[in-house]
Structure formats: C-alpha cells, structure tokens
Amino acid sequence: MRALCRAFDWSSTPLGPSTSWPQSLRTTTGMLLASRNPMFLWWGPELIQIYNDAYRPSFGAEGRHPRALGMPGRECWTDIWEVIGPQIEQVMTTGEATWHEDQYLPIERNGRLEDVWWTYSYSPVRDEEGQIAATLVVCQETTRRVIGQRERDQLLEERRQAEQSLRESEARLRAIYDGTYEYIGLLAPDGTLLDTNRASLEFSDIPRDEVIGRPFPDTPWFSNTPRAAEAIRDAVRRAAAGEFVRFETDIHAPSGECRTFDLSMYPVRDEKGDVVLIVPEGRDVTERHRAEVALRESEARYRALFESLDAGLCVVEMIFSERNEPVDCRFIEVNPAFMRQTGLADPSGKLRSELGRGWDEYWMQTYGNVALTGEPIRVEAPTTVNGRWYDVYAFRIGQPGDRRVAVLFNDVTAARTANAERERLLRALEVERSRLEYVFKQAPAFLAVLRGSEHVFALANDAYFRLVGKRELIGRPLLEALPELAEQGFKDLLDQVLATGTPYVGREMSVRISRTPGAEPEERFLDFVYLPLVEGDDERVGVIAHGTDVTEQVLARREVERLFDLEQHARTVVEEAYRLAEAANRAKSQFLAVMSHELRTPLNAIGGYAELLEMGIRGPITAEQREDLTRIQSSQRHLLGLINEVLNYAKLETGTVSYDICDVVVRESLVAAESLVAPQARAKGITLATSECPPDVIALADPEKLRQILVNLLSNAVKFTDSGGRVGMSCSTDDRHVRIHISDTGIGIPADKLHVIFDPFVQVRGDLARRHEGTGLGLAISRDLARAMGGDLTVESALREGSTFTLALPRATPTSA
Ligand code: ADP
C-alpha cells in the first residue's frame, strides 16, 4: 500500500499532492500504513479514503480495492452508507470516539452481497489547529468469529432442543408405560427385574423397592401361582437366548381371584446382536376369555333360536341387473320354519329362479331396496304368489357390498281376518259404550263406582251429583268427599260388600246428607244396591252403588198411611154406629110388627061392628047415624091400610118376606095395576094413559110384589098430580133389564129431596104436599122390594113439572120365557 499511496495521483483529489499535505495527515497516514491492524482513514469534509494492507482482505477478491483509495467515502460505501454515514458524521461533529462490536455490515464483495461483521472504533483525527480533520477507523473483521459463535450457539440450541424433546418423549413414553393397563417391565438377560410399570405394581399392591433388583420369577406376583412362576422362569431363559416367547397362564391375585394373562417376553438386542434386555409384557385377558365363552354360548343359543323360531327366517343375497335392478336372489340360509311356511325343502345355496316358484315383483323391489340402502323395513302385505298376507321384517346384514338381506316373516292371513272382525266388534262396542255412557249419565237412578278399600270415587252419574250436590267426588275417598256420611254405617256396608262379594240391598234407607256443599245435612230416603265390582281374575276391586232417591214417595206414603189410619178409625166408629142403628132399627121394626098386629084386631072389630050397625041388624038407623057410620068405616079403612103398610115394611126390614120369582109379562102387570087406580084418577079428573108396553117384555119378578110396587107408584102419581093432569106408563128393555116408567105431570120433587124420598118415613114437606096423607113408607118399601128382586127403583123429577119413577127388573131370557 505504501507503494500504491506513493504512486497515487493525490492531486486529482481534494487532498492535493502529497507534498502539500499537512503534517497531521502525513503523520496519520504514516502510522496507518505501518500498522498491521486493519485501519482506514476518512480525511476532510469529502472523507477521502486511505487504508492499509491489513485492511485489504476485507474488500474481498475483486472488491473495491484499489478503487477505494483516494475515493470519497460516500461514493465508495453506497451499500452501507445508511449505517456508517451517521456514525462518521457523529465523530466529525462531536469529536467523540465510538466503539462498535460485531456490527453486522453486509457488503458487496467477491461479486455478491456478503454477510460481514466488524468490530471497529471511530476516532477523530485533529489537524494542526486542533480541528477535527478526519475519522480514523481501526477495525477488525469478525465475520469468521461471529459465524463460528453463531454456529456454536445453534449447535447448543439444537442439543438443548434435542434433550428437551428426548425428555418429553421419555415422559410421554413413561406416561404410556405407567398409564397403560397392561403390565410391562424390563429384565436383565439373567431375569433380574430392572423396572416395572404402575399397573404391574398395583396388580398385587407391591412397593417398587420390593421387586426391583429381584429375579422376576421369584417376585410376589407369582407367589400364589407356582406354575406361573415356573413358566416365567422358562420363558426368561428362552428370551435370553433370543427367542420371542408368548404364552397364556393363570395367575392368582392376592385376593385369591384367578385371572388369565397373555404374557410375552421380547428380547432386545444391541448392535452386535447380543440380547441386552428382555421386555416382559402381560395382558389380562380374563374378560376376553369370558366374553369368548359367552359368545360361543350365545351363538349356540341364537342358533337354537334360529332353528326353533316359529317365524320363517331366511338370509338371501340379492342379485341385481347391470342397471341395478333386483332380478333374482340366492338363499344363503333358511330356518326350519321357513321351510314349513314356504314348503321349499332346503333351498340354501339355490337361486330363487331355480326353484321354479313365482316371484312377486313387490317383494323383489322391497328386498332389493333394503340391500341397496341398508334401511330396514317392516311391512304387512300380501303376496301374489299365493294370495296370503305376510308380516315381514327385512334388514341388511353383513357388508353393504354383500347385498345380503335377512327376512323374518309370519303368515298373518288368519290374524288379519280376526283383526278385521275384532275391529268391527270394537267399533260396535264403542257405539254400545257411548250409548251406555249416555244412559249412565242420564239415568234417573243414581250410580257411582267406588274403587279400592278406601272407596275412592271412580265414576258418578248426574243423578248421583244431584243427590249429593255438585261436589268434588272423583278421585276422592268416600268419607273425604262426603264427610257427613261418617257414623252412618255406609262405609261398613261397602267394606262388607268388598270383603264378601255379597251385594247389599237397602230399602228406603235413611241417610243424612248435605245437598249442596256446606249445607246442613237433611234426611233423604234411598232404595239402593251395593254390588261388588269384579275385574280380571274375579278380583273384587270396588263397589257399584246404584239406586234411587225415594224420599218423595216415602213421605207421600207416610201421609197416606196417616190418612188411612184416620179413615180406619172413622170407619170403625161409623160401623159401630151403623151396627147400633141397625140393632135399633130392627127393634123398632119388631115393635112396629107387633104393634100393628095388635092394632089390626081391634080395628077389624071396629069395622065389623060398624057394618053390623049399618046393616040395621041392631035396629033401624037414622040418616045422620048412617052418615057417621060411613065416616067411622072410612077412618077404620084408612087406619087399617096404614097399619098394613107399617106391618109390610116391618116385615121387609126384619127379613121375613119371601119371594116367589117367575117370568112376568110386564104388560099384564101394568094393565092390572092400572085398573086398581083408575077409579081414583077418574075421581080426581086425571087422565090415566094406557100403558105402552109390548107383550113380549117379560121380567123376572114376584108378581104380587110387582103389583104392590106399581100400585104404590101409580097411587103416588095420582096423589101428587092435580086434576087435569096426566099419568102414564111405559116400558123399555135392554139386554139384561126391563124398565117400567111411571110418569106424571104433578107437583114434582125438589132436587134437594130427590135422594131422601126413598128413606122410610120421609115426606116432602111443603105447601104442595101438605094436603096429602101417607106414611112416607111406600117408596122405601117399593125400593126394598125392587132390590130384593135384583132390580132397583129410581126417580127423575123437576118441581112443578112432574116426576118419572123408573122400576128396573131383571129381564127374563127368551128360553126362560
Ligand atoms: P106417602 O105417599 O105415604 O107419603 P111415599 O113413600 O109413597 O109415602 O112417598 C113419600 C113422599 O114422596 C110423599 O109424601 C111425597 O112427598 C113424595 N112423592 C111420592 N110420589 C110422588 C109423586 N108422584 N109426585 C110428587 N111427590 C111424590
């Protein structure tokens, strides 16, 4: 560099020819060129560059050297000026030196951008006047050291990471090792246990220290099972010789439970192939063993089920056309029921088409669909092959590609018919049920169903609610719903019916019950029956209460009974009175009979003697005497008549009259009676109309008694009719009676007297009747006679217009006529 510097044309630079350089520049340049430490100088405001030999390698092979010599710094270091420009500027303005260690300054050298690190100091160089004239760089390229350091750091980091991941992986392995429920350990080739996992220790609840370092076969794991210990010893020997050993053995746990293990011994070899470790591993396969046994048993059971199933079962493999349409199927397996139901003798392995049977398109599509989609189907449908109905359950089995379908089916033809019938009956039953419910609801009788020993209301109809008022009944026990019934004995009756099953019938039973919630209980009378409610297996589950509220009837009947009693009493009184009256009447009649008889004798004597005198047998009589005698005779006759009549009535009353009943031609009786009263009628100037009665009208009567009645009626008619009046007779008939009508145009009888004139001794008093004589016995006798002959006597009359008496008598039948 010294030579280069000397030869360089410094006059082309702002420094000017080296001969004119200030002393400070010369001194600095001399020191720089002599130094073996890389140095660099930026002089003056343009920062003209001078550097030494030691610096040169830093420019690289075809770098900036030697162009950089005498070049302004800003032009030389365009690539890193952003970094070093401000650092130089700072030194030039402040005069303070700076120190930069391992500064990264990538530069263009050797034809590329190189990563370069520098440790350098910038220090100010002062001129003769003490002004800052330059920046001197003393530097050391540290690229190699930095890179070396970085590589070391990286190596260290990689190692740390490797160690870390090793630790992690070991922890993971340890976690697996300790976390697995399998039993794992490590053995030395001589069988010494080097390590074991948590599961192994927990199996026998052994502390780690007790087993580590001991020969594996002698550890407590196998102390209860000598055979296992022996097998292990043998296995260790074989594994140590390089063999992978695997075997099953039973081991008794400390609890005594026997468990089965799948054990293995894996030999681990080193690079030379020597066995350096043995990995013993054990797996508890007890459950698997049991499951296998269970599986075998269940397989056997399912096979038995398959064989004995009543339903037909077959497994078919569906066969599809190229367009994926089901065209046929192959029977894989069928059960005996299948063969029974289809009549196909073992079709296993054969195609449906080979069996020469029809094939229902519907079922083909159905099974094809199951095979393709895997969706099971349950369907009840007929088959066109035989017209029968089948209940079919089809589902895919095996792998989808197998296209296998299991078909479980039952012939339900009979059941369907039965079902249809059942549904029809159910519908009919429903109709009946709703009708019954309607009847039940509307029934005038009350009805309730009480269930269980607490007699909980399950049902009650409207009538029942009317009886007990609209209360909450349903779901409540009897005495809770109707508390006023406590102590009235109904619960005991219900208990009894439920216990014995014997119905209880209550007649007009009195119950005190509230008719509305909270009201005072009132007395009602009920006719009811408690019937046991029987369900299922003749089990008595409750009681049906059915009956009617008969309160109104009971009360009405009680009133009737009271009245009846009263009436009975009255009747007895009346009867007694009647009996007494009867007796009195009879006594009176007897008296009258005796008396009349006694009177008749002297009266007859009077008449006889009066006649003797009149005949002049006792001597001649004067005209006046004759007149008196006539009067005596008249009175005697009247009195005698009277007495005769009284005697007649008395005879009737005492029941001593006898009747001689025979056929009587009514017309003849009428004519005879008429002739008897004709003189009186004539004398009174009354027209006596001839009787209107056909001769074939024949009555059954005593002729004498009939005559007596007719004379009496005609006499009365004449008696109570004024002159100029009219008295007539007629007759009429019906099937059983002959009626004789005696009518007059006389004074008539007042309406209020009509019913008494037939009583004895009754005479209608009044102005009109006063003039007439009589006893008041004639009508009484006549009616008694008529009735005694099986007839009757009645009257119709109007005051001042006349009367008609009608005598009814039994009519003689033509044969008896
Ligand atoms: P007597 O004629 O002796 O009074 P009866 O028994 O024959 O008794 O009649 C009872 C009464 O009935 C009569 O007194 C008279 O008042 C009334 N009576 C009977 N017949 C007639 C008649 N044809 N017209 C009106 N009154 C009559």
Side-chain angles (χ1 to χ4, degrees), residues 652-672:
L652 273 176
E653 284 293 292
T654 50
T656 50
V657 178
S658 64
Y659 294 86
D660 184 12
I661 303 290
C662 60
D663 290 358
V664 180
V665 178
V666 175
R667 187 184 160 82
E668 286 170 8
S669 297
L670 293 183
V671 170

Short mmCIF file of all heavy atoms in Angstrom, two decimals, residues 652-672:
data_model
loop_
_atom_site.label_atom_id
_atom_site.label_comp_id
_atom_site.label_asym_id
_atom_site.label_seq_id
_atom_site.Cartn_x
_atom_site.Cartn_y
_atom_site.Cartn_z
N LEU A 652 -190.49 -56.47 55.90
CA LEU A 652 -189.34 -56.34 54.99
C LEU A 652 -188.05 -56.16 55.78
O LEU A 652 -187.04 -56.80 55.55
CB LEU A 652 -189.51 -55.12 54.09
CG LEU A 652 -190.28 -55.33 52.79
CD1 LEU A 652 -190.40 -53.98 52.10
CD2 LEU A 652 -189.57 -56.32 51.88
N GLU A 653 -188.11 -55.23 56.69
CA GLU A 653 -186.91 -54.87 57.47
C GLU A 653 -186.44 -56.06 58.29
O GLU A 653 -185.26 -56.28 58.43
CB GLU A 653 -187.24 -53.70 58.41
CG GLU A 653 -187.32 -52.37 57.69
CD GLU A 653 -185.96 -51.95 57.15
OE1 GLU A 653 -185.06 -51.64 57.97
OE2 GLU A 653 -185.78 -51.94 55.90
N THR A 654 -187.35 -56.81 58.83
CA THR A 654 -186.93 -57.94 59.66
C THR A 654 -186.54 -59.13 58.81
O THR A 654 -186.08 -60.13 59.31
CB THR A 654 -188.03 -58.36 60.64
OG1 THR A 654 -189.24 -58.52 59.88
CG2 THR A 654 -188.23 -57.33 61.73
N GLY A 655 -186.69 -58.98 57.47
CA GLY A 655 -186.20 -60.03 56.57
C GLY A 655 -187.11 -61.25 56.57
O GLY A 655 -186.66 -62.36 56.28
N THR A 656 -188.35 -61.05 56.86
CA THR A 656 -189.23 -62.23 56.92
C THR A 656 -190.08 -62.40 55.68
O THR A 656 -190.94 -63.26 55.62
CB THR A 656 -190.16 -62.13 58.14
OG1 THR A 656 -190.76 -60.85 58.12
CG2 THR A 656 -189.40 -62.35 59.42
N VAL A 657 -189.81 -61.53 54.64
CA VAL A 657 -190.61 -61.62 53.41
C VAL A 657 -190.00 -62.68 52.50
O VAL A 657 -188.79 -62.72 52.33
CB VAL A 657 -190.64 -60.26 52.70
CG1 VAL A 657 -191.42 -60.34 51.39
CG2 VAL A 657 -191.23 -59.21 53.60
N SER A 658 -190.85 -63.52 51.89
CA SER A 658 -190.33 -64.49 50.93
C SER A 658 -190.79 -64.10 49.53
O SER A 658 -191.82 -63.46 49.38
CB SER A 658 -190.81 -65.90 51.29
OG SER A 658 -192.21 -65.94 51.17
N TYR A 659 -189.99 -64.43 48.51
CA TYR A 659 -190.26 -64.00 47.13
C TYR A 659 -190.48 -65.22 46.28
O TYR A 659 -189.75 -66.20 46.40
CB TYR A 659 -189.08 -63.18 46.60
CG TYR A 659 -188.90 -61.87 47.35
CD1 TYR A 659 -188.15 -61.83 48.51
CD2 TYR A 659 -189.50 -60.71 46.88
CE1 TYR A 659 -188.00 -60.66 49.21
CE2 TYR A 659 -189.36 -59.53 47.59
CZ TYR A 659 -188.60 -59.49 48.74
OH TYR A 659 -188.48 -58.35 49.44
N ASP A 660 -191.47 -65.12 45.43
CA ASP A 660 -191.76 -66.20 44.51
C ASP A 660 -191.49 -65.67 43.11
O ASP A 660 -192.37 -65.13 42.45
CB ASP A 660 -193.24 -66.60 44.70
CG ASP A 660 -193.61 -67.80 43.85
OD1 ASP A 660 -192.66 -68.46 43.31
OD2 ASP A 660 -194.79 -68.07 43.71
N ILE A 661 -190.23 -65.82 42.67
CA ILE A 661 -189.80 -65.18 41.42
C ILE A 661 -190.21 -66.05 40.23
O ILE A 661 -189.99 -67.26 40.24
CB ILE A 661 -188.26 -65.01 41.39
CG1 ILE A 661 -187.76 -64.18 42.58
CG2 ILE A 661 -187.81 -64.38 40.06
CD1 ILE A 661 -188.13 -62.74 42.55
N CYS A 662 -190.86 -65.41 39.24
CA CYS A 662 -191.18 -66.13 38.00
C CYS A 662 -191.25 -65.16 36.84
O CYS A 662 -191.08 -63.96 37.04
CB CYS A 662 -192.50 -66.87 38.17
SG CYS A 662 -193.84 -65.75 38.52
N ASP A 663 -191.39 -65.68 35.62
CA ASP A 663 -191.50 -64.80 34.45
C ASP A 663 -192.83 -64.06 34.53
O ASP A 663 -193.88 -64.67 34.70
CB ASP A 663 -191.46 -65.61 33.15
CG ASP A 663 -190.08 -66.19 32.91
OD1 ASP A 663 -189.15 -65.91 33.75
OD2 ASP A 663 -189.90 -66.92 31.92
N VAL A 664 -192.75 -62.74 34.37
CA VAL A 664 -193.98 -61.95 34.45
C VAL A 664 -194.11 -61.14 33.16
O VAL A 664 -193.16 -60.45 32.78
CB VAL A 664 -193.93 -60.99 35.65
CG1 VAL A 664 -195.20 -60.16 35.72
CG2 VAL A 664 -193.71 -61.75 36.93
N VAL A 665 -195.25 -61.28 32.49
CA VAL A 665 -195.47 -60.46 31.30
C VAL A 665 -195.80 -59.07 31.80
O VAL A 665 -196.82 -58.84 32.47
CB VAL A 665 -196.62 -61.00 30.43
CG1 VAL A 665 -196.86 -60.10 29.23
CG2 VAL A 665 -196.30 -62.41 30.00
N VAL A 666 -194.89 -58.14 31.56
CA VAL A 666 -194.97 -56.80 32.16
C VAL A 666 -196.29 -56.12 31.81
O VAL A 666 -196.95 -55.52 32.68
CB VAL A 666 -193.75 -55.98 31.73
CG1 VAL A 666 -193.86 -54.55 32.24
CG2 VAL A 666 -192.48 -56.63 32.27
N ARG A 667 -196.67 -56.24 30.55
CA ARG A 667 -197.87 -55.55 30.08
C ARG A 667 -199.09 -55.94 30.94
O ARG A 667 -199.88 -55.09 31.34
CB ARG A 667 -198.12 -55.91 28.62
CG ARG A 667 -199.24 -55.12 27.99
CD ARG A 667 -199.49 -55.59 26.56
NE ARG A 667 -200.82 -55.19 26.16
CZ ARG A 667 -201.10 -53.98 25.71
NH1 ARG A 667 -200.17 -53.06 25.62
NH2 ARG A 667 -202.32 -53.67 25.39
N GLU A 668 -199.17 -57.24 31.28
CA GLU A 668 -200.32 -57.71 32.08
C GLU A 668 -200.31 -57.06 33.46
O GLU A 668 -201.35 -56.62 33.97
CB GLU A 668 -200.27 -59.23 32.22
CG GLU A 668 -200.65 -59.95 30.93
CD GLU A 668 -200.39 -61.45 30.98
OE1 GLU A 668 -200.05 -61.96 32.09
OE2 GLU A 668 -200.49 -62.09 29.92
N SER A 669 -199.08 -57.00 34.07
CA SER A 669 -198.99 -56.38 35.39
C SER A 669 -199.42 -54.93 35.35
O SER A 669 -200.11 -54.42 36.25
CB SER A 669 -197.56 -56.48 35.92
OG SER A 669 -197.20 -57.82 36.08
N LEU A 670 -199.02 -54.23 34.27
CA LEU A 670 -199.35 -52.80 34.14
C LEU A 670 -200.87 -52.61 34.04
O LEU A 670 -201.45 -51.77 34.73
CB LEU A 670 -198.66 -52.21 32.90
CG LEU A 670 -197.12 -52.13 32.96
CD1 LEU A 670 -196.58 -51.45 31.70
CD2 LEU A 670 -196.65 -51.38 34.20
N VAL A 671 -201.48 -53.46 33.20
CA VAL A 671 -202.93 -53.33 32.99
C VAL A 671 -203.70 -53.58 34.28
O VAL A 671 -204.58 -52.82 34.67
CB VAL A 671 -203.38 -54.31 31.88
CG1 VAL A 671 -204.92 -54.37 31.81
CG2 VAL A 671 -202.81 -53.88 30.54
N ALA A 672 -203.21 -54.61 35.05
CA ALA A 672 -203.87 -54.94 36.32
C ALA A 672 -203.77 -53.79 37.32
O ALA A 672 -204.76 -53.39 37.95
CB ALA A 672 -203.22 -56.19 36.90
#
